[in-house]
Amino acid sequence: MSGRVVREPRSLLVTGGAGFVGSAFVRYLLGQADFRGTLVNLDLLTYAGNLENVAAVADDPRYKFVRGDIADGELVGRLVREHEVDTIVHFAAESHVDRSIVAPSAFIETNVVGTFRLLEVARAAKSVHFHHVSTDEVFGSLGPTGAFREDTPYRPNSPYSASKAASDHLVRAYAHTYALPITLSNCSNNYGPYQFPEKLIPLMIMNLVEDKPLPIYGDGLNVRDWLYVDDHAEAVWRIVRSGRAGETYNVGGEGERTNLEIVRLLIDCVAAETGKARSALESLVTFVRDRPGHDRRYAIDFSKIQQELAWSPRRDLASGLRETVRFYLDHRGWLERVRTGAYRDWLRENYEQR
Ligand code: NAD
Ligand code: DAU
């Protein structure tokens, strides 16, 4: 790293901190003994938000949870003033590509309008640093070679990625026009604990455990670059503290695999952990109709964050997947509550009645 610490945030507003990546960031930051600031977690608790994901930090005196919509400018403005927020780290989003194909409206509302409202609050507050968490999907789809760089032209292909691209453009525009201090990160596919089981890896683990078909879209040869979610959390914190204002950083996992390779690795892990026969698990592989407009390949050139901020992924894919499989095996109750919606009862009992 350059050695210089540019920012020392004292009061963070984290949006979407009850979701998969946001909750990993909240747990990561509050796990840093030398973090002496405070963190307000603003989350609407949509189907993807779950306070169980942040139960470990619920009683930390540095932490406060607020249920609310990022598009509620009045609420966000009040939180920024009351907590003297100096840094917004913005994870909240509608995040699932398949849902965006079926019902794009919420993606525009939250990802575009919601981000716009947050930016307006940050602009009015004057001295707030805004970190925007985005995705590699804004760059579109790659052929068999090459990797996305920070200067790769945007070419989003799904309503999800188009909505994230729109939000990225707004963030850039606010930096350019209003001199809002911003940083931006575009990350590849995350995996790890507490991911909603609509996404490839937790869905496949759940189905393997329950001996259900493993639905592989198309020919299964689409490539994604997989990053362990805690590594993403660390990258975001490093950018927030030491990233150059106005800059974008690509974050990737050096974990390029076809979907079929990922499923086979998961089969190996589940077979090893449960004693189930590998051949029986392999027979669950089922090729299904492809996702419309399915991007073929993503790959990330993350040399900028590596060189400027000395960040690289810590976890290799094999050990990360093993740990992830163990997590879901050890948290069958979590999986069940999320799948059936029963986690909302947990929410009522543990949060809303307080
Ligand atoms: P997620 O769907 O698991 O969580 C999203 C969270 O945002 C949930 O807690 C939800 O309740 C909250 N939320 C949704 N709408 C809201 C609103 N209007 N107001 C307040 N809160 C709201 O998503 P994720 O996978 O954790 O992704 C988080 C961010 O990281 C997103 O911006 C996504 O684009 C980005 N990202 C994700 C990945 C990945 O692989 N998961 C990779 C790169 C970037
Ligand atoms: O690249 C970063 C993006 O990764 C994030 O911005 C998104 O929020 C996140 O959801 C993820 O998007 P993907 O569409 O790549 O993830 P998903 O887990 O939905 O799918 C991964 C791959 O697996 C993709 O090629 C589609 C395929 N797939 C997915 C599901 C759910 C299947 O073959 N079968 C499935 O059932």
Side-chain angles (χ1 to χ4, degrees), residues 95-98 135-137 160 187-190 195 198-201 203-204 215-217 222 224 226 259 291 294-295 298:
S95 68
H96 193 39
V97 174
D98 292 329
T135 170
D136 60 355
E137 300 201 8
Y160 163 69
C187 186
S188 63
N189 284 63
N190 287 206
Q195 187 168 27
E198 62 189 351
K199 307 279 165 53
L200 179 76
I201 288 182
L203 176 76
M204 293 297 162
I216 310 239
Y217 298 164
N222 300 65
R224 296 291 182 267
W226 295 95
N259 294 335
R291 171 186 278 174
H294 196 175
D295 284 338
Y298 305 144

Side-chain angles (χ1 to χ4, degrees), residues 32-352:
Q32 308 294 308
D34 61 350
F35 173 65
R36 299 194 201 292
T38 57
L39 188 163
V40 175
N41 177 3
L42 172 67
D43 195 300
L44 188 56
L45 299 179
T46 67
Y47 79 95
N50 184 352
L51 284 181
E52 285 190 63
N53 303 357
V54 279
V57 300
D59 297 324
D60 190 312
R62 298 168 296 173
Y63 174 77
K64 180 182 168 64
F65 176 76
V66 175
R67 185 177 194 178
D69 193 335
I70 55 165
D72 181 346
E74 208 173 302
L75 168 67
V76 179
R78 183 160 51 74
L79 291 175
V80 166
R81 284 191 303 278
E82 275 176 9
H83 295 275
E84 296 179 19
V85 167
D86 56 31
T87 308
I88 295 176
V89 186
H90 176 33
F91 292 93
E94 288 294 331
S95 68
H96 193 39
V97 174
D98 292 329
R99 284 180 191 259
S100 84
I101 294 167
V102 176
S105 171
F107 288 73
I108 305 305
E109 292 304 330
T110 288
N111 301 0
V112 185
V113 179
T115 302
F116 160 69
R117 294 264 159 74
L118 282 179
L119 285 166
E120 279 290 273
V121 171
R123 174 162 85 99
K126 305 237 182 297
S127 57
V128 170
H129 182 87
F130 192 97
H131 180 75
H132 182 57
V133 178
S134 192
T135 170
D136 60 355
E137 300 201 8
V138 297
F139 299 120
S141 185
L142 289 164
T145 57
F148 300 132
R149 293 163 40 94
E150 285 79 3
D151 57 4
T152 299
Y154 275 36
R155 208 189 164 115
N157 287 321
S158 71
Y160 163 69
S161 53
S163 69
K164 290 297 292 187
S167 66
D168 291 11
H169 289 320
L170 282 169
V171 172
R172 283 164 199 277
Y174 272 62
H176 186 80
T177 304
Y178 304 116
L180 185 74
I182 64 110
T183 40
L184 208 153
S185 49
N186 294 90
C187 186
S188 63
N189 284 63
N190 287 206
Y191 70 98
Y194 300 112
Q195 187 168 27
F196 198 86
E198 62 189 351
K199 307 279 165 53
L200 179 76
I201 288 182
L203 176 76
M204 293 297 162
I205 297 172
M206 189 172 73
N207 287 7
L208 282 164
V209 169
E210 297 175 354
D211 302 309
K212 289 190 176 152
L214 309 173
I216 310 239
Y217 298 164
D219 60 8
L221 299 181
N222 300 65
V223 174
R224 296 291 182 267
D225 168 28
W226 295 95
L227 176 70
Y228 194 72
V229 67
D230 292 1
D231 285 334
H232 187 187
E234 186 182 9
V236 167
W237 184 231
R238 213 166 272 200
I239 297 166
V240 166
R241 291 186 72 197
S242 306
R244 283 184 290 139
E247 292 289 318
T248 289
Y249 294 86
N250 278 0
V251 181
E254 277 177 333
E256 269 191 69
R257 296 288 187 285
T258 66
N259 294 335
L260 211 44
E261 284 171 328
I262 290 291
V263 170
R264 296 213 163 109
L265 288 168
L266 292 173
I267 288 174
D268 290 340
C269 292
V270 172
E273 293 293 327
T274 63
K276 287 179 187 246
R278 209 192 168 287
S279 55
L281 295 178
E282 178 79 34
S283 72
L284 298 172
V285 168
T286 309
F287 290 92
V288 299
R289 195 159 59 93
D290 208 353
R291 171 186 278 174
H294 196 175
D295 284 338
R296 191 63 171 171
R297 176 172 165 265
Y298 305 144
I300 285 266
D301 175 345
F302 61 88
S303 50
K304 180 175 173 181
I305 187 171
Q306 199 166 30
Q307 282 158 21
E308 282 190 22
L309 305 180
W311 176 90
S312 342
R314 289 180 192 273
R315 196 72 52 106
D316 66 88
L317 188 61
S319 72
L321 285 180
R322 254 195 324 273
E323 205 164 306
T324 301
V325 165
R326 281 192 198 125
F327 171 85
Y328 290 103
L329 288 173
D330 291 346
H331 290 76
R332 298 286 292 276
W334 179 89
L335 211 44
E336 189 58 21
R337 286 190 291 281
V338 165
R339 189 173 50 166
T340 59
Y343 69 107
R344 304 226 157 262
D345 301 337
W346 187 96
L347 178 66
R348 272 190 293 278
E349 283 158 23
N350 290 278
Y351 174 68
E352 287 172 353

